[in-house]
């Protein structure tokens, strides 16, 4: 999925407000300058599980930097790595796990050291009403239960495999998807009795799905790193975006969505 956020000209409104407050009687107000000198466009490749939060963060970032434009490409982290390796014009990469970020580092495509900015854990998503009466992880392995998971090369799929190994309960999914959003779509549409996604996906989906908690999820925590990519145009904007995500503004949005601290 590709999402483009247009620049928001809030600085102009802010400038007017600041000028109105600071101007004195009998003088000609001087237009206030923008508080940001950043300008130019960047493209951020981000894990599908970050779609909602990064869209909000990108909007906030542009309001704070009216000259900057952020374009997002959301997909499974492994798919994004393949695109980056093939030369896709990405400026920043935000992965849902460290393993896929390492692939970018090993390929010599990261600029500097990636920064961990969030954590996430798995959850069982079921259609509203939980028609298959799923009560926990063991129920997912029962005959006739249609379970959808992420493919093992995708971070949520790799985490699912770890839960299978730790519990000794192996799932037999009817489908393996390339992103958590695809898994969530099959559950919310009623094509599956249950799907393994992240806690943040269930929270963000609202009433379209229900969550079945399972304590085994706490044993498998995914850490999300972010990095500027080599050769990125508008490197200052890319650096500033990474700082924004890892700073108080970005962390506030992520925490509100259910992401944990790194």
């Amino acid at each position: 999925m590709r999402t483009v956020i247009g620049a928001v000209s809030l600085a102009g409104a802010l400038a007017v407000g600041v000028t109105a407050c600071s101007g004195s009687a009998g003088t000609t107000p001087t237009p206030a300058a923008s508080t940001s000198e950043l300008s130019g466009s960047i493209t951020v490749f981000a894990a599908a599980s970050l779609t909602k939060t990064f869209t909000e963060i990108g909007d906030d970032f542009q309001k704070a930097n009216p000259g900057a434009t952020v374009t997002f490409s959301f997909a499974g982290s492994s798919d994004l790595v393949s695109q980056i390796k093939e030369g896709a014009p990405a400026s920043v990469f935000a992965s849902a796990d460290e393993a896929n970020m390492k692939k970018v580092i090993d390929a010599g495509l990261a600029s500097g050291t990636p920064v961990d900015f969030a954590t996430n854990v798995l959850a069982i998503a079921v259609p509203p009403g939980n028609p298959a009466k799923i009560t926990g992880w063991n129920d997912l392995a029962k005959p006739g239960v249609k379970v959808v998971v992420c493919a093992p090369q995708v971070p949520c799929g790799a985490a699912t495999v770890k839960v299978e190994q730790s519990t000794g309960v192996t799932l037999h999914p009817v489908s393996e998807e390339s992103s958590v959003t695809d898994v969530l779509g099959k559950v919310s549409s009623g094509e599956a009795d249950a799907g393994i996604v992240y806690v943040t996906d269930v929270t963000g989906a609202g009433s379209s799905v229900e969550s079945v908690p399972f304590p085994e999820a706490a044993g498998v925590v995914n850490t999300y790193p972010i990095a500027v990519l080599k050769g990125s145009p508008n490197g200052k904007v890319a650096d500033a975006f990474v700082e924004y995500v890892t700073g108080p503004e970005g962390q506030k949005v992520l925490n509100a969505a259910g992401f944990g601290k790194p």
Side-chain angles (χ1 to χ4, degrees), residues 107-239:
L109 298 174
S111 177
T113 303
V115 181
D116 296 338
F117 66 95
T119 59
N120 213 347
V121 295
L122 297 177
I124 299 172
V126 298
N130 192 6
K133 307 303 179 187
I134 304 297
T135 61
W137 183 263
N138 290 353
D139 285 350
L140 301 178
K142 290 181 177 178
V145 174
K146 294 185 292 183
V147 181
V148 179
V149 302
C150 291
Q153 64 269 27
V154 181
C156 61
T160 300
V161 171
K162 290 180 181 177
V163 176
E164 289 180 293
Q165 293 171 342
S166 67
T167 61
V169 178
T170 302
L171 307 186
H172 302 285
V174 295
S175 177
E176 293 183 343
E177 304 296 329
S178 60
S179 72
V180 287
T181 49
D182 291 339
V183 173
L184 198 63
K186 291 207 169 184
V187 175
S188 61
S189 66
E191 295 181 58
D193 295 321
I196 308 302
V197 295
Y198 293 116
V199 166
T200 53
D201 297 307
V202 176
T203 301
S207 59
S208 64
V209 298
E210 295 179 6
S211 177
V212 177
F214 66 106
E216 298 90 342
V220 180
V221 180
N222 273 23
T223 298
Y224 286 55
I226 187 170
V228 174
L229 300 175
K230 283 186 177 178
S232 168
N234 301 311
K236 288 185 178 180
V237 178
D239 288 339

Side-chain angles (χ1 to χ4, degrees), residues 78-117:
S78 57
D79 285 345
L80 295 174
V81 170
S82 297
Q83 294 174 35
I84 291 170
K85 285 184 173 180
E86 291 171 359
S91 307
V92 174
F93 175 47
S95 175
D97 69 354
E98 295 165 303
N100 278 289
M101 179 60 79
K102 187 176 184 301
K103 295 176 185 176
V104 172
I105 296 171
D106 291 346
L109 298 174
S111 177
T113 303
V115 181
D116 296 338
F117 66 95

